[in-house]
Amino acid sequence: MKVGVIGSGGREHAICISLKKSKNIDKIYCFPGNAGTSFIAENIEIDLNNFEELKRVIEELGIDIIIVGPEKPLVDGIVDFLEQNKIKVFGPDRVSSQLEGSKIFTKNLCKKYNIPTAKFGVFNTIQDSLSFLSECKFPIVVKADGLAAGKGVYICETHDQSKKAVEEIFNGKFGEAKQILIEEFLKGEEMSFFIISDGISYKIFGTAQDHKRALEGDKGKNTGGMGAYSPSRLESEKLEKKIIEKIIEPTLKGLKEIKNKFRGFLYAGLMIVDEEPFLIEYNVRMGDPECQTILPRLKTDFLDIVVATVNEDLKNINLEWFEDKSICVVLASKGYPDEFKNNSEIKGLKEIKLQDNEYIFHAGTKVNNSKIYSNGGRVLNFVIKSDNLKIGRDKAISLINKLNWQNGYFRKDIGYKIIS
Ligand code: AMP
Ligand code: GLY
Protein backbone atom coordinates (compact mmCIF):
# COMPACT_ATOMS: atom_id res chain seq x y z
CA MET A 1 0.00 0.00 0.00
CA LYS A 2 0.98 3.62 -0.50
CA VAL A 3 0.36 5.66 2.64
CA GLY A 4 0.44 9.44 3.09
CA VAL A 5 1.17 10.99 6.49
CA ILE A 6 0.19 14.60 7.17
CA GLY A 7 2.41 16.49 9.61
CA SER A 8 6.04 17.22 10.37
CA GLY A 9 6.67 16.46 14.04
CA GLY A 10 8.16 13.71 16.16
CA ARG A 11 4.75 12.05 16.24
CA GLU A 12 4.66 11.81 12.44
CA HIS A 13 8.22 10.45 12.22
CA ALA A 14 7.29 7.79 14.81
CA ILE A 15 4.19 6.95 12.74
CA CYS A 16 6.36 6.59 9.61
CA ILE A 17 8.82 4.29 11.40
CA SER A 18 5.93 2.08 12.57
CA LEU A 19 4.44 2.02 9.06
CA LYS A 20 7.81 1.13 7.59
CA LYS A 21 7.80 -2.11 9.62
CA SER A 22 4.40 -3.11 8.27
CA LYS A 23 4.18 -6.13 5.98
CA ASN A 24 1.88 -4.34 3.53
CA ILE A 25 3.74 -1.06 3.06
CA ASP A 26 5.09 -0.16 -0.38
CA LYS A 27 5.76 3.54 -0.04
CA ILE A 28 5.26 6.35 2.46
CA TYR A 29 4.72 10.01 1.56
CA CYS A 30 4.93 12.82 4.12
CA PHE A 31 3.18 16.17 3.84
CA PRO A 32 5.56 17.93 4.50
CA GLY A 33 7.64 15.75 6.89
CA ASN A 34 11.09 16.56 8.30
CA ALA A 35 14.71 15.43 7.84
CA GLY A 36 14.01 12.14 9.64
CA THR A 37 11.04 11.22 7.47
CA SER A 38 12.99 12.10 4.32
CA PHE A 39 15.25 9.08 4.97
CA ILE A 40 12.36 6.58 4.90
CA ALA A 41 9.61 8.37 3.01
CA GLU A 42 9.19 10.92 0.26
CA ASN A 43 8.57 14.39 1.67
CA ILE A 44 6.17 16.58 -0.26
CA GLU A 45 6.23 20.30 0.38
CA ILE A 46 2.65 21.54 0.23
CA ASP A 47 0.39 24.19 1.78
CA LEU A 48 -1.81 22.14 4.11
CA ASN A 49 -4.52 24.81 3.94
CA ASN A 50 -4.93 24.10 0.24
CA PHE A 51 -7.13 21.00 0.32
CA GLU A 52 -7.75 21.00 -3.46
CA GLU A 53 -4.03 20.87 -4.19
CA LEU A 54 -3.54 18.15 -1.59
CA LYS A 55 -6.28 16.07 -3.20
CA ARG A 56 -4.71 16.51 -6.62
CA VAL A 57 -1.32 15.30 -5.38
CA ILE A 58 -2.82 12.34 -3.49
CA GLU A 59 -4.67 11.23 -6.64
CA GLU A 60 -1.67 11.76 -8.89
CA LEU A 61 0.56 9.65 -6.63
CA GLY A 62 -2.09 6.95 -6.22
CA ILE A 63 -1.94 7.07 -2.41
CA ASP A 64 -4.27 4.46 -0.87
CA ILE A 65 -4.76 5.94 2.57
CA ILE A 66 -3.99 9.18 4.42
CA ILE A 67 -3.16 9.43 8.13
CA VAL A 68 -3.62 12.88 9.67
CA GLY A 69 -1.20 13.62 12.55
CA PRO A 70 -1.87 17.15 13.84
CA GLU A 71 -5.06 18.84 15.03
CA LYS A 72 -5.27 21.87 12.76
CA PRO A 73 -6.19 20.10 9.50
CA LEU A 74 -8.62 17.89 11.45
CA VAL A 75 -10.40 20.86 12.99
CA ASP A 76 -10.41 22.49 9.53
CA GLY A 77 -12.33 19.50 8.14
CA ILE A 78 -9.68 17.74 6.06
CA VAL A 79 -11.27 14.35 6.75
CA ASP A 80 -14.71 15.44 5.49
CA PHE A 81 -13.10 16.94 2.39
CA LEU A 82 -11.00 13.89 1.48
CA GLU A 83 -13.86 11.46 2.16
CA GLN A 84 -16.17 13.49 -0.09
CA ASN A 85 -13.53 12.97 -2.74
CA LYS A 86 -13.45 9.19 -2.15
CA ILE A 87 -10.00 9.24 -0.54
CA LYS A 88 -9.56 6.93 2.45
CA VAL A 89 -8.44 8.80 5.52
CA PHE A 90 -7.64 8.00 9.14
CA GLY A 91 -8.78 10.68 11.60
CA PRO A 92 -11.95 12.23 12.99
CA ASP A 93 -14.24 14.49 10.97
CA ARG A 94 -14.90 18.17 11.58
CA VAL A 95 -17.79 17.67 14.01
CA SER A 96 -15.87 15.20 16.20
CA SER A 97 -12.77 17.40 16.03
CA GLN A 98 -14.63 20.09 17.97
CA LEU A 99 -13.69 18.01 21.02
CA GLU A 100 -10.28 19.62 20.58
CA GLY A 101 -11.20 22.66 18.48
CA SER A 102 -13.63 24.12 21.00
CA LYS A 103 -13.08 23.77 24.73
CA ILE A 104 -16.60 25.10 25.29
CA PHE A 105 -18.10 22.35 23.05
CA THR A 106 -16.35 19.76 25.24
CA LYS A 107 -17.34 21.44 28.50
CA ASN A 108 -20.99 21.48 27.41
CA LEU A 109 -20.77 17.79 26.52
CA CYS A 110 -19.30 17.12 29.99
CA LYS A 111 -22.20 18.98 31.58
CA LYS A 112 -24.84 17.14 29.55
CA TYR A 113 -23.42 13.66 30.22
CA ASN A 114 -22.13 14.23 33.75
CA ILE A 115 -18.50 13.70 32.76
CA PRO A 116 -16.20 14.67 35.64
CA THR A 117 -14.30 17.86 34.81
CA ALA A 118 -13.26 21.10 36.55
CA LYS A 119 -16.20 23.37 37.46
CA PHE A 120 -16.42 26.12 34.88
CA GLY A 121 -18.15 29.22 33.57
CA VAL A 122 -18.34 30.65 30.04
CA PHE A 123 -18.15 34.45 29.72
CA ASN A 124 -18.87 36.76 26.79
CA THR A 125 -17.22 40.03 27.85
CA ILE A 126 -14.20 41.33 29.74
CA GLN A 127 -16.58 43.01 32.18
CA ASP A 128 -18.51 39.83 33.07
CA SER A 129 -15.28 37.84 33.38
CA LEU A 130 -13.70 40.37 35.73
CA SER A 131 -16.70 40.68 37.97
CA PHE A 132 -16.84 36.88 38.29
CA LEU A 133 -13.08 36.76 39.01
CA SER A 134 -13.39 39.37 41.75
CA GLU A 135 -15.27 36.76 43.81
CA CYS A 136 -13.13 33.70 43.00
CA LYS A 137 -10.60 31.78 45.01
CA PHE A 138 -7.14 31.46 43.45
CA PRO A 139 -5.39 29.74 41.69
CA ILE A 140 -7.87 29.72 38.85
CA VAL A 141 -7.58 28.74 35.18
CA VAL A 142 -8.49 31.05 32.27
CA LYS A 143 -8.70 29.53 28.77
CA ALA A 144 -9.18 30.72 25.21
CA ASP A 145 -11.85 28.66 23.43
CA GLY A 146 -10.21 27.55 20.16
CA LEU A 147 -6.88 26.03 19.10
CA ALA A 148 -3.94 27.95 20.53
CA ALA A 149 -1.02 25.51 20.10
CA GLY A 150 -0.96 24.82 23.84
CA LYS A 151 -0.64 28.51 24.70
CA GLY A 152 -4.24 29.58 25.39
CA VAL A 153 -4.29 28.30 28.99
CA TYR A 154 -3.39 30.59 31.91
CA ILE A 155 -2.95 29.20 35.40
CA CYS A 156 -3.50 32.35 37.47
CA GLU A 157 -2.27 32.68 41.04
CA THR A 158 -3.53 36.22 41.55
CA HIS A 159 -6.37 38.46 40.49
CA ASP A 160 -3.95 40.63 38.48
CA GLN A 161 -2.72 37.64 36.47
CA SER A 162 -6.28 36.60 35.69
CA LYS A 163 -7.17 40.13 34.59
CA LYS A 164 -4.21 40.14 32.20
CA ALA A 165 -5.24 36.72 30.84
CA VAL A 166 -8.83 37.81 30.20
CA GLU A 167 -7.67 40.98 28.46
CA GLU A 168 -5.12 39.19 26.27
CA ILE A 169 -7.67 36.64 25.13
CA PHE A 170 -10.46 39.15 24.41
CA ASN A 171 -7.96 41.45 22.68
CA GLY A 172 -7.34 38.68 20.14
CA LYS A 173 -4.01 37.12 21.14
CA PHE A 174 -5.34 33.73 19.92
CA GLY A 175 -7.61 35.02 17.19
CA GLU A 176 -11.05 36.54 17.53
CA ALA A 177 -12.53 35.61 20.93
CA LYS A 178 -16.29 35.78 21.49
CA GLN A 179 -16.21 33.73 24.68
CA ILE A 180 -13.75 32.54 27.29
CA LEU A 181 -13.71 29.78 29.81
CA ILE A 182 -12.85 30.24 33.48
CA GLU A 183 -12.39 27.07 35.47
CA GLU A 184 -11.54 25.66 38.84
CA PHE A 185 -7.89 24.67 39.34
CA LEU A 186 -7.57 20.92 39.87
CA LYS A 187 -4.64 19.70 41.93
CA GLY A 188 -3.53 16.19 41.12
CA GLU A 189 -1.35 14.24 38.69
CA GLU A 190 -1.87 14.40 34.94
CA MET A 191 -2.19 11.35 32.72
CA SER A 192 -2.58 11.03 28.95
CA PHE A 193 -5.08 8.29 28.09
CA PHE A 194 -5.60 7.10 24.51
CA ILE A 195 -8.20 5.11 22.65
CA ILE A 196 -8.57 4.26 18.99
CA SER A 197 -12.08 4.08 17.55
CA ASP A 198 -13.57 3.15 14.19
CA GLY A 199 -16.93 4.71 15.08
CA ILE A 200 -18.45 1.36 15.98
CA SER A 201 -16.05 -0.11 18.51
CA TYR A 202 -12.98 1.19 20.27
CA LYS A 203 -9.85 -0.10 21.99
CA ILE A 204 -7.55 1.38 24.61
CA PHE A 205 -4.33 2.56 22.98
CA GLY A 206 -2.09 3.04 26.02
CA THR A 207 -1.26 5.70 28.56
CA ALA A 208 1.66 8.05 29.03
CA GLN A 209 2.91 10.82 31.25
CA ASP A 210 3.85 14.02 29.46
CA HIS A 211 6.13 16.75 30.90
CA LYS A 212 4.70 20.02 29.62
CA ARG A 213 6.85 22.57 31.41
CA ALA A 214 10.07 23.80 29.83
CA LEU A 215 12.30 23.41 32.87
CA GLU A 216 13.30 20.71 35.35
CA GLY A 217 11.07 20.22 38.37
CA ASP A 218 8.05 21.23 36.24
CA LYS A 219 9.08 24.88 36.27
CA GLY A 220 8.98 27.47 33.49
CA LYS A 221 6.53 27.93 30.66
CA ASN A 222 4.11 25.43 29.18
CA THR A 223 5.43 23.78 26.00
CA GLY A 224 4.09 21.17 23.59
CA GLY A 225 5.86 18.57 25.77
CA MET A 226 9.53 18.16 26.78
CA GLY A 227 9.43 14.41 27.32
CA ALA A 228 7.23 11.51 28.33
CA TYR A 229 7.20 7.98 29.56
CA SER A 230 4.76 5.15 28.98
CA PRO A 231 2.80 3.59 30.60
CA SER A 232 1.78 6.23 33.14
CA ARG A 233 2.68 5.25 36.71
CA LEU A 234 -0.99 5.80 37.59
CA GLU A 235 -2.24 3.09 35.20
CA SER A 236 -4.33 0.43 36.96
CA GLU A 237 -7.35 -1.68 36.12
CA LYS A 238 -9.46 0.15 38.67
CA LEU A 239 -8.62 3.59 37.30
CA GLU A 240 -9.02 2.43 33.70
CA LYS A 241 -12.54 1.22 34.49
CA LYS A 242 -13.45 4.62 35.93
CA ILE A 243 -11.99 6.49 32.92
CA ILE A 244 -13.90 4.29 30.49
CA GLU A 245 -17.22 4.40 32.32
CA LYS A 246 -17.21 8.02 33.45
CA ILE A 247 -15.40 9.75 30.59
CA ILE A 248 -14.81 7.80 27.35
CA GLU A 249 -18.14 5.99 26.93
CA PRO A 250 -20.36 8.99 27.75
CA THR A 251 -18.33 11.04 25.23
CA LEU A 252 -18.75 8.50 22.43
CA LYS A 253 -22.44 8.21 23.31
CA GLY A 254 -22.77 12.01 23.20
CA LEU A 255 -21.27 12.06 19.71
CA LYS A 256 -23.57 9.25 18.53
CA GLU A 257 -26.56 11.20 19.78
CA ILE A 258 -25.64 14.08 17.49
CA LYS A 259 -25.38 11.47 14.69
CA ASN A 260 -21.62 11.48 14.69
CA LYS A 261 -19.08 8.69 14.81
CA PHE A 262 -15.63 9.20 16.21
CA ARG A 263 -12.98 7.63 14.01
CA GLY A 264 -9.28 7.88 14.84
CA PHE A 265 -7.27 8.46 18.01
CA LEU A 266 -8.93 10.14 20.95
CA TYR A 267 -6.58 11.49 23.60
CA ALA A 268 -8.04 12.33 26.99
CA GLY A 269 -5.86 14.72 29.00
CA LEU A 270 -6.80 13.78 32.56
CA MET A 271 -6.11 15.05 36.05
CA ILE A 272 -6.22 12.26 38.60
CA VAL A 273 -7.31 13.66 41.96
CA ASP A 274 -7.44 11.18 44.87
CA GLU A 275 -7.72 8.26 42.42
CA GLU A 276 -10.64 9.91 40.58
CA PRO A 277 -10.23 10.95 36.92
CA PHE A 278 -11.24 14.44 35.74
CA LEU A 279 -11.18 15.47 32.09
CA ILE A 280 -8.93 18.49 31.51
CA GLU A 281 -9.14 18.44 27.73
CA TYR A 282 -9.67 16.23 24.70
CA ASN A 283 -7.35 16.02 21.72
CA VAL A 284 -8.46 14.26 18.56
CA ARG A 285 -5.08 12.78 17.62
CA MET A 286 -2.09 11.12 19.23
CA GLY A 287 -0.09 13.19 21.70
CA ASP A 288 3.35 14.48 20.89
CA PRO A 289 5.68 13.31 22.57
CA GLU A 290 3.36 10.59 23.96
CA CYS A 291 3.08 8.91 20.54
CA GLN A 292 6.85 8.52 20.39
CA THR A 293 6.71 6.44 23.60
CA ILE A 294 3.58 4.44 22.78
CA LEU A 295 4.21 3.29 19.20
CA PRO A 296 7.56 1.57 19.97
CA ARG A 297 5.65 -0.54 22.54
CA LEU A 298 3.12 -1.73 19.96
CA LYS A 299 3.57 -5.29 18.67
CA THR A 300 0.61 -5.40 16.26
CA ASP A 301 1.15 -4.23 12.67
CA PHE A 302 0.28 -0.51 12.76
CA LEU A 303 -0.93 -0.32 9.17
CA ASP A 304 -3.32 -3.22 9.81
CA ILE A 305 -4.80 -1.18 12.68
CA VAL A 306 -5.16 1.94 10.53
CA VAL A 307 -6.80 0.06 7.67
CA ALA A 308 -9.17 -1.78 10.02
CA THR A 309 -10.17 1.53 11.61
CA VAL A 310 -10.93 3.18 8.29
CA ASN A 311 -12.92 0.09 7.21
CA GLU A 312 -14.89 0.00 10.50
CA ASP A 313 -13.39 -3.39 11.29
CA LEU A 314 -11.42 -2.63 14.45
CA LYS A 315 -13.24 -5.31 16.45
CA ASN A 316 -11.31 -7.95 14.47
CA ILE A 317 -7.92 -6.55 15.45
CA ASN A 318 -6.18 -7.81 18.54
CA LEU A 319 -3.86 -5.12 19.92
CA GLU A 320 -0.67 -6.58 21.38
CA TRP A 321 1.98 -4.68 23.33
CA PHE A 322 5.52 -5.31 24.52
CA GLU A 323 5.96 -5.56 28.28
CA ASP A 324 8.77 -2.98 28.20
CA LYS A 325 8.34 0.63 29.25
CA SER A 326 9.60 3.52 27.19
CA ILE A 327 10.88 7.00 27.82
CA CYS A 328 11.35 10.01 25.54
CA VAL A 329 13.63 12.98 26.14
CA VAL A 330 12.98 15.94 23.83
CA LEU A 331 15.86 18.07 22.62
CA ALA A 332 14.55 21.59 21.95
CA SER A 333 16.03 24.78 20.53
CA LYS A 334 17.37 27.15 23.20
CA GLY A 335 14.71 29.78 23.85
CA TYR A 336 11.72 27.53 23.04
CA PRO A 337 8.76 28.00 23.74
CA ASP A 338 9.61 31.69 23.17
CA GLU A 339 11.95 33.04 20.49
CA PHE A 340 14.53 30.62 19.12
CA LYS A 341 16.93 30.41 16.21
CA ASN A 342 16.45 28.03 13.25
CA ASN A 343 18.96 26.77 10.66
CA SER A 344 21.64 25.78 13.11
CA GLU A 345 23.58 22.71 11.97
CA ILE A 346 23.25 19.61 14.17
CA LYS A 347 26.57 17.80 13.94
CA GLY A 348 27.21 14.23 14.97
CA LEU A 349 23.68 12.95 14.41
CA LYS A 350 24.42 10.71 11.45
CA GLU A 351 27.35 9.11 13.26
CA ILE A 352 25.12 7.78 16.06
CA LYS A 353 24.60 4.03 15.68
CA LEU A 354 21.34 3.03 17.32
CA GLN A 355 21.00 -0.34 19.08
CA ASP A 356 17.75 -2.34 19.21
CA ASN A 357 15.06 -0.52 21.21
CA GLU A 358 16.69 2.88 20.68
CA TYR A 359 15.04 5.48 18.48
CA ILE A 360 15.69 9.03 17.38
CA PHE A 361 12.54 10.65 16.05
CA HIS A 362 13.03 13.95 14.27
CA ALA A 363 10.68 16.92 14.76
CA GLY A 364 11.94 20.39 13.75
CA THR A 365 14.73 19.32 11.42
CA LYS A 366 15.54 19.68 7.72
CA VAL A 367 18.27 18.45 5.39
CA ASN A 368 20.33 20.59 3.10
CA ASN A 369 23.32 19.19 1.13
CA SER A 370 23.28 16.08 3.36
CA LYS A 371 23.64 18.21 6.49
CA ILE A 372 20.92 18.36 9.15
CA TYR A 373 19.71 21.70 10.48
CA SER A 374 17.28 22.71 13.23
CA ASN A 375 13.92 23.90 11.95
CA GLY A 376 11.58 24.35 14.92
CA GLY A 377 11.15 24.57 18.67
CA ARG A 378 11.18 20.88 19.45
CA VAL A 379 13.94 19.34 17.35
CA LEU A 380 14.70 15.69 18.20
CA ASN A 381 13.16 12.97 20.38
CA PHE A 382 15.40 10.36 22.00
CA VAL A 383 13.37 7.28 22.90
CA ILE A 384 14.51 4.15 24.70
CA LYS A 385 12.40 1.06 25.30
CA SER A 386 13.54 -1.04 28.25
CA ASP A 387 12.35 -2.72 31.42
CA ASN A 388 13.94 0.04 33.50
CA LEU A 389 13.08 3.72 32.99
CA LYS A 390 16.18 4.97 34.79
CA ILE A 391 18.45 2.98 32.48
CA GLY A 392 16.32 4.18 29.55
CA ARG A 393 16.66 7.83 30.53
CA ASP A 394 20.43 7.51 31.08
CA LYS A 395 20.78 5.98 27.61
CA ALA A 396 18.66 8.72 26.01
CA ILE A 397 20.82 11.40 27.64
CA SER A 398 24.04 9.67 26.61
CA LEU A 399 22.79 9.68 22.99
CA ILE A 400 22.08 13.42 23.24
CA ASN A 401 25.57 13.97 24.63
CA LYS A 402 27.06 12.38 21.51
CA LEU A 403 25.75 15.28 19.43
CA ASN A 404 27.75 18.34 18.70
CA TRP A 405 25.01 20.97 18.88
CA GLN A 406 25.33 24.03 21.09
CA ASN A 407 21.92 25.44 20.31
CA GLY A 408 19.75 22.90 22.14
CA TYR A 409 18.48 22.17 25.65
CA PHE A 410 16.64 19.30 27.30
CA ARG A 411 15.24 18.23 30.67
CA LYS A 412 17.38 15.68 32.51
CA ASP A 413 14.52 14.82 34.89
CA ILE A 414 11.89 13.26 32.60
CA GLY A 415 10.04 10.64 34.64
CA TYR A 416 11.24 12.11 37.96
CA LYS A 417 8.04 11.09 39.75
CA ILE A 418 8.63 7.43 38.95
CA ILE A 419 12.45 7.30 38.81
CA SER A 420 13.90 7.67 42.28
P1 AMP B 1 -4.86 22.23 28.16
O1 AMP B 1 -4.34 22.94 26.94
O2 AMP B 1 -6.31 22.41 28.44
O3 AMP B 1 -4.37 20.81 28.24
O4 AMP B 1 -4.08 22.88 29.38
C1 AMP B 1 -2.68 22.90 29.42
C2 AMP B 1 -2.20 22.50 30.78
O5 AMP B 1 -2.73 23.39 31.77
C3 AMP B 1 -2.70 21.13 31.23
O6 AMP B 1 -1.89 20.11 30.75
C4 AMP B 1 -2.65 21.26 32.73
O7 AMP B 1 -1.32 21.07 33.18
C5 AMP B 1 -3.01 22.68 32.96
N1 AMP B 1 -4.45 22.81 33.25
C6 AMP B 1 -5.45 23.05 32.38
N2 AMP B 1 -6.64 23.12 33.00
C7 AMP B 1 -6.39 22.90 34.32
C8 AMP B 1 -7.22 22.85 35.50
N3 AMP B 1 -8.53 23.05 35.45
N4 AMP B 1 -6.60 22.61 36.68
C9 AMP B 1 -5.26 22.43 36.76
N5 AMP B 1 -4.44 22.49 35.69
C10 AMP B 1 -4.98 22.71 34.48
N1 GLY C 1 1.76 16.38 24.53
C1 GLY C 1 0.63 17.19 24.51
C2 GLY C 1 -0.09 17.20 23.25
O1 GLY C 1 0.21 16.49 22.31
O2 GLY C 1 -1.04 17.97 23.14
Side-chain angles (χ1 to χ4, degrees), residues 33-86:
N34 56 38
T37 64
S38 75
F39 303 131
I40 55 167
E42 185 175 332
N43 282 357
I44 298 187
E45 202 55 55
I46 195 167
D47 172 9
L48 288 177
N49 295 313
N50 189 342
F51 289 0
E52 282 294 341
E53 176 63 5
L54 184 65
K55 176 193 112 179
R56 194 190 62 72
V57 175
I58 292 168
E59 284 171 348
E60 192 176 289
L61 295 170
I63 295 177
D64 299 294
I65 196 161
I66 292 287
I67 301 172
V68 188
E71 62 276 18
K72 169 118 189 351
L74 293 168
V75 172
D76 289 347
I78 197 168
V79 169
D80 312 55
F81 174 84
L82 293 178
E83 280 181 344
Q84 278 154 20
N85 286 285
K86 308 267 176 299

Side-chain angles (χ1 to χ4, degrees), residues 103 141 143 153 183-186 190 212 280-281:
K103 292 187 192 297
V141 188
K143 297 185 176 182
V153 174
E183 64 181 52
E184 164 200 26
F185 177 80
L186 292 175
E190 281 180 73
K212 287 211 169 79
I280 294 264
E281 60 161 358

Side-chain angles (χ1 to χ4, degrees), residues 29 132 151 168 234 237:
Y29 295 91
F132 174 79
K151 291 186 185 135
E168 282 188 2
L234 302 174
E237 255 177 56

Side-chain angles (χ1 to χ4, degrees), residues 134-154:
S134 67
E135 292 176 6
C136 282
K137 276 200 250 140
F138 287 81
I140 204 154
V141 188
V142 178
K143 297 185 176 182
D145 182 37
L147 291 184
K151 291 186 185 135
V153 174
Y154 297 75

